[in-house]
Amino acid sequence: MERSEEYIKNERKQDWRVALQKKIKAKDRMSIERALMAETAPELRITSQRIEVNIGLTQEQALTEASRCMDCVNPTCMEGCPVSINIPKFIKNIERGEILEAASVLKETSALPAVCGRVCPQELQCEQKCFYVEKLNQPAVAIGYLERFAADFERESGHISTPEMVAANGIKVAVIGSGPSGLSFAGDMAKLGYDVTVFEALHEIGGVLKYGIPEFRLPNAVVDVEIESLRRMGVKFITNYIVGQTASLDDLKADGYKAFYVGSGAGLPRFMNIPGENANGILSSNEYLTRVNLMGADSEESDTPVLRGKNVVVVGGGNTAMDSVRTAKRLGAERAMIVYRRSEEEMPARVEEVHHAKQEGVEFLTLTNPIEYIADENGRVSQMKVQKMELGEPDSSGRRRPVPVEGSEYILDCEVVVVAVGVSPNPLIPNSVEGLEVSKWGTIEVVKDKMQSSIPELFAGGDIVRGGATVILAMGDGRKAAKNMDIYLTEQYLSN
Amino acid sequence: MNKIVEKEYFSEKIVKIVVEAPLIAKSRKPGNFVILRVGEKGERIPLTIAGADVERGTIDLVVQKMGVSSTKVCDLEVGEYITDLVGPLGKPTEIHNLGTILCCGGGVGNAPLLPIVEAYKKAGNKVITILAARNKDLIILEDEMRKHSDELIIMTDDGSYGKKGLITEGMEEVIKREKIDECVTIGPAIMMKFCSLLTKKYEIPTVASLNSIMVDGTGMCGACRVTVGGKTKFTCVDGPEFDAHQIDFEEMMSRLGGYKKEEVDKFDQFQK
């Protein structure tokens, strides 16, 4: 629920906050070094898909890190958070040792704090706006680490709080897709008193959090606990249900649903359309990661197979590419390679992921682009022809355009190739709703900041509106949509 | 969880199950399929819907024991549950009144063919159905097919039932005899390929329903991709039916074997 600036300022004046502000001199706070996150050793972690790389802060580390935060009068960090977490309030609660209280502050605005603390690119969001970075040119307060610490502490304590809820209003709303955007929306609407049902096409709740992001970055058990919290808030989940196929939007309207939030994501993988790309052994990152993360194909007991190879090439430079190549390493690849057409500087993946991949022995073949695949007599890929690239003038995205170097082609051995060059919006929903305005890229058109589509009772957010973006932006859209759908439904049904 | 309410053995290895799935029964159309999963360690596998009873809220699935997952489905008894069942998926068959339709089913492919035969007949077409299999025991759904067809021809490789010979021999006889406006073929990839080659020769528009490897079945992964008319298509959302004369069958058959080694290993492990 939205807190006004005034409210946030007043909270800062509470006695306990004032006492903390006075307890340590600003100069002393600023002389503390940023906490280092402990990690599992690379040699150990590559032996399993299920060993988490980042171990988390100790309580001592967390309390010290929390005391670095200056409790700014004007907390610019909050502007950098797409879901506007009250950052100083939760951090100061950690500093005074009220960690469960810190966790419940996170839940005021975020449905998935244990997830965001792990996968948000904080260096581009809250932490980039931290006083330390903006004014002192020093490392930011480790907001992400602290968020994760508070959420993990609460989960492990077994004392999981439920956020403040408004009395039920009996109005039914449907969420299409159970990824981060849908879950964030569902949490906010439940808090506002709505009767929320989430429809999911797959057999598990969580979207990309389950099928995409690997266990070594985000354990499924962590996601499940956050989903359980939503259940306790009254959110209902229906799996194996494809809105538009299993039943239509009109069927749901007939069942009494008054409004809809589409968070169906950008699940359609892109391929490069180069010769030989349909050979066996060449697959999308979505297929590769789904087999391993959702279906557990890395385990002997799973019925789902996965392709293993001595030489595995992942094409692309985003987080999905890093997740895929690190997965390949854990499935036993001797050479796990990234082939990326630009240089490392332009890679969209988080610096931390690139660093972790390198520690794990991943090879980076940058300024290199595949142009053809060569299959063996059984139709299985055995080699790829790649071409060297050099950087030319900046393109519309502002990144320097890669230009092929004539005559630089060479052959690379590979038995498995994972194509991670991006995704497009899943067309299932846009195709099944008549009158819905869709862009030429297949994304749903919405009124900016309201997230309302051309159909007034249908709101949308996350990748189905943005194309491929981040977990936290998808969650921010869910929050915005909830706020505006509440206004819309209040006008329609509750104002008299 | 979807309950199995009826089970019938067509042969030792081919089983028909009737499953509770009221929403799918209501919304499914001929040509649609479902994805199902048996057990928490189970794999997601596609199966075409062979029929539905809206009042009873059930759908019919016909499964042939091939590997781990299909064996697990076949071994489920009445009263037991399918862990996950989602659908209907894929584009439905485009049914029009065209004139005379030649429907060609091979082996377990007869099951998904049945609702298509039914729909073509209902739309006012003359329907000639050819069912083919290796031997008599593998011919399924004969009575149901007969009910909805103007003519039914049965072909077996060994001549143990109907006429002896390959499906294409039966087809050519019909094609030479009368004008066929469209041909539909569902069965093993190799059979569909030869059906397609034959009808291409006679310039008869032909539709084939593909049984590619799938994971999610909703367009998310591209495991089921196939080349049609030189372009990559996803069988689960763009199909499963395509213009047979445009399909790259060689590539399709190669891709069906893409996990052969892994599948065999899993099956050996399962049988132990």
Side-chain angles (χ1 to χ4, degrees):
Chain A
M1 274 158 266
E2 230 45 55
R3 307 283 197 209
S4 68
E5 243 173 69
E6 194 62 29
Y7 181 87
I8 288 163
K9 285 223 158 70
N10 284 331
E11 277 188 321
R12 190 180 171 274
K13 292 177 193 152
Q14 285 172 322
D15 294 344
W16 68 271
R17 290 270 285 268
V18 174
L20 278 184
Q21 286 151 21
K22 289 181 179 160
K23 199 174 144 200
I24 306 175
K25 277 190 215 140
K27 215 181 105 197
D28 292 338
R29 289 187 192 275
M30 287 187 283
S31 65
I32 304 168
E33 273 186 43
R34 179 178 155 119
L36 281 177
M37 174 74 82
E39 295 170 358
T40 313
E43 331 53 276
L44 174 64
R45 70 195 193 221
I46 60 165
T47 59
S48 163
Q49 184 75 8
R50 290 150 208 278
I51 297 174
E52 206 179 351
V53 173
N54 283 336
I55 296 171
L57 299 183
T58 63
Q59 185 151 342
E60 200 191 336
Q61 273 184 307
L63 264 57
T64 307
E65 182 63 31
S67 65
R68 287 184 70 219
C69 167
M70 309 297 284
D71 199 2
C72 302
V73 181
N74 179 24
T76 43
C77 52
M78 285 180 67
E79 294 164 15
C81 175
V83 298
S84 313
I85 286 176
N86 191 336
I87 293 167
K89 186 180 171 191
F90 98 80
I91 292 184
K92 290 298 116 179
N93 268 300
I94 296 177
E95 186 182 344
R96 68 164 170 162
E98 293 291 339
I99 296 159
L100 289 176
E101 184 59 31
S104 80
V105 173
L106 294 172
K107 284 194 186 162
E108 286 174 9
T109 55
S110 172
L112 310 165
V115 171
C116 294
R118 284 172 167 80
V119 304
C120 276
Q122 290 98 6
E123 66 277 12
L124 303 175
Q125 296 178 327
C126 55
E127 293 183 15
Q128 195 178 46
K129 293 261 179 179
C130 173
F131 169 78
Y132 280 84
V133 173
E134 291 211 315
K135 297 279 160 22
L136 306 175
N137 199 22
Q138 280 181 27
V141 172
I143 302 168
Y145 292 176
L146 291 171
E147 179 182 23
R148 171 185 164 149
F149 171 76
D152 285 358
F153 183 94
E154 183 190 49
R155 186 178 65 252
E156 285 155 15
S157 75
H159 300 286
I160 297 175
S161 66
T162 310
E164 219 179 292
M165 314 259 293
V166 170
N169 61 27
I171 296 179
K172 282 168 78 174
V173 298
V175 185
I176 301 164
S178 73
S181 190
L183 293 178
S184 159
F185 171 87
D188 273 14
M189 288 302 272
K191 276 188 252 179
L192 291 165
Y194 291 91
D195 181 354
V196 184
T197 305
V198 181
F199 294 91
E200 167 57 47
L202 289 172
H203 60 270
E204 282 217 34
I205 302 297
V208 73
L209 307 176
K210 284 282 180 63
Y211 74 75
I213 304 173
E215 295 255 29
F216 57 79
R217 280 216 291 140
L218 176 65
N220 283 349
V222 168
V223 184
D224 282 331
V225 171
E226 311 239 52
I227 290 162
E228 199 45 47
S229 287
L230 290 169
R231 275 209 178 90
R232 270 207 307 274
M233 289 162 64
V235 176
K236 284 166 260 179
F237 291 97
I238 300 180
T239 52
N240 297 316
Y241 196 112
I242 305 179
V243 175
Q245 305 260 104
T246 307
S248 68
L249 213 59
D250 286 337
D251 292 328
L252 292 179
K253 281 182 195 166
D255 274 348
Y257 290 95
K258 299 291 187 221
F260 303 87
Y261 179 67
V262 181
S264 54
L268 203 70
R270 281 192 211 130
F271 286 93
M272 292 171 67
N273 299 314
I274 55 175
E277 205 175 23
N278 287 349
N280 288 316
I282 304 172
L283 58 165
S284 72
S285 50
N286 268 4
E287 177 182 353
Y288 193 61
L289 293 172
T290 298
R291 284 179 181 273
V292 177
N293 298 326
L294 183 72
M295 307 308 296
D298 58 311
S299 142
E300 282 272 296
E301 291 149 39
S302 170
D303 291 346
T304 303
V306 66
L307 296 177
R308 295 171 198 248
K310 217 161 75 172
N311 303 291
V312 181
V313 172
V314 175
V315 183
N319 285 320
T320 312
M322 295 308 137
D323 287 345
S324 301
V325 79
R326 296 172 71 196
T327 294
K329 199 79 204 175
R330 285 157 174 79
L331 290 175
E334 283 171 27
R335 289 187 78 188
M337 294 165 267
I338 285 282
V339 164
Y340 180 56
R341 62 190 182 133
R342 301 184 206 243
S343 75
E344 193 175 321
E345 207 175 306
E346 288 82 23
M347 275 194 181
R350 287 185 76 184
V351 173
E352 185 185 28
E353 306 310 329
V354 174
H355 173 68
H356 281 157
K358 284 186 175 167
Q359 282 182 329
E360 290 163 11
V362 169
E363 294 171 50
F364 284 71
L365 282 66
T366 51
L367 289 168
T368 304
N369 203 33
I371 49 175
E372 186 183 346
Y373 295 103
I374 301 147
D376 65 15
E377 64 281 6
N378 301 315
R380 171 93 183 246
V381 68
S382 59
Q383 290 180 318
M384 67 199 281
K385 192 188 273 181
V386 296
Q387 188 171 36
K388 290 291 225 176
M389 310 292 274
E390 58 190 14
L391 292 177
E393 293 300 306
D395 65 12
S396 57
S397 77
R399 295 184 298 179
R400 292 176 66 192
R401 190 194 304 273
V403 184
V405 178
E406 289 305 322
S408 66
E409 297 87 353
Y410 69 100
I411 298 284
L412 208 55
D413 286 337
C414 54
E415 300 84 42
V416 178
V417 176
V418 180
V419 182
V421 296
V423 285
S424 302
N426 194 307
L428 277 177
I429 296 294
N431 286 351
S432 71
V433 182
E434 236 174 277
L436 185 64
E437 271 178 36
V438 177
S439 75
K440 65 177 172 179
W441 298 281
T443 53
I444 295 177
E445 301 269 23
V446 294
V447 178
K448 206 172 167 248
D449 292 330
K450 275 178 100 177
M451 312 316 289
Q452 192 169 23
S453 76
S454 55
I455 297 170
E457 68 274 21
L458 193 146
F459 291 65
D463 284 1
I464 192 67
V465 166
R466 297 171 176 273
T470 64
V471 165
I472 191 70
L473 287 173
M475 289 182 60
D477 288 351
R479 290 213 78 211
K480 269 187 236 160
K483 184 179 160 194
N484 290 293
M485 189 191 283
D486 178 42
I487 295 168
Y488 168 79
L489 289 172
T490 303
E491 277 171 10
Q492 298 279 314
Y493 301 101
L494 297 171
S495 51
N496 293 321
Chain B
M1 300 275 272
N2 301 69
K3 193 173 171 181
I4 295 176
V5 294
E6 226 180 282
K7 183 177 177 182
E8 182 186 343
Y9 283 89
F10 285 154
S11 72
E12 198 193 324
K13 290 207 159 171
I14 303 178
V15 178
K16 174 183 159 185
I17 53 175
V18 180
V19 191
E20 271 178 4
L23 292 176
I24 302 175
K26 210 170 122 188
S27 52
R28 70 98 208 186
K29 291 193 172 69
N32 283 144
F33 66 96
V34 292
I35 293 258
L36 58 79
R37 191 172 80 110
V38 180
E40 287 307 318
K41 305 282 176 198
E43 183 184 10
R44 295 170 65 93
I45 57 164
L47 282 174
T48 311
I49 303 168
D53 185 331
V54 178
E55 272 170 37
R56 233 176 134 198
T58 58
I59 58 168
D60 304 341
L61 301 172
V62 176
V63 198
Q64 182 169 17
K65 278 191 193 185
M66 303 273 279
V68 179
S69 301
S70 54
T71 304
K72 281 189 175 174
V73 181
C74 290
D75 288 350
L76 288 172
E77 299 300 337
V78 171
E80 290 191 300
Y81 291 83
I82 291 177
T83 318
D84 294 290
L85 180 68
V86 63
L89 297 164
K91 284 189 181 155
T93 311
E94 284 178 33
I95 306 281
H96 302 286
N97 187 347
L98 299 169
T100 304
I101 313 290
L102 183 58
C103 294
C104 308
V108 77
N110 293 351
L113 186 64
L114 178 61
I116 295 169
V117 166
E118 240 182 287
Y120 270 120
K121 184 66 204 158
K122 217 172 145 190
N125 294 286
K126 178 181 176 187
V127 178
I128 302 170
T129 305
I130 309 183
L131 303 184
R134 280 204 312 280
N135 59 50
K136 183 173 192 280
D137 291 343
L138 297 173
I139 294 285
I140 60 167
L141 297 165
E142 182 189 339
D143 295 341
E144 290 85 343
M145 288 288 191
R146 198 176 298 281
K147 200 175 124 192
H148 300 289
S149 308
D150 293 277
E151 187 185 346
L152 183 78
I153 298 164
I154 291 181
M155 307 286 303
T156 51
D157 292 2
D158 64 357
S160 54
Y161 193 50
K163 287 184 190 169
K164 185 175 188 306
L166 296 172
I167 194 161
T168 41
E169 296 171 51
M171 288 168 71
E172 194 150 24
E173 227 181 276
V174 176
I175 292 167
K176 281 183 172 162
R177 187 184 75 196
E178 62 187 289
K179 184 178 176 289
I180 302 296
D181 296 288
E182 189 170 285
C183 175
V184 180
T185 171
I186 312 184
I190 185 83
M191 180 203 104
M192 293 192 281
K193 178 189 157 184
F194 282 104
C195 289
S196 170
L197 285 173
L198 179 75
T199 57
K200 197 170 186 174
K201 195 171 92 185
Y202 290 98
E203 294 174 356
I204 301 166
T206 299
V207 169
S209 176
L210 303 186
N211 54 335
S212 313
I213 289 178
M214 291 187 190
V215 182
D216 62 286
T218 61
M220 211 179 83
C221 82
C224 64
R225 63 196 196 275
V226 55
T227 302
V228 181
K231 291 203 173 103
T232 295
K233 300 276 180 186
F234 289 4
T235 305
C236 68
V237 285
D238 300 319
E241 293 174 10
F242 295 104
D243 175 351
H245 299 156
Q246 302 291 322
I247 297 168
D248 182 342
F249 279 106
E250 294 307 318
E251 179 191 275
M252 192 232 158
M253 284 188 278
S254 167
R255 287 189 62 78
L256 277 175
Y259 286 84
K260 190 88 189 162
K261 187 187 165 290
E262 289 76 11
E263 283 164 0
V264 169
D265 289 350
K266 292 269 180 202
F267 197 51
D268 288 346
Q269 195 188 323
F270 173 70
Q271 284 177 318
K272 279 176 202 158

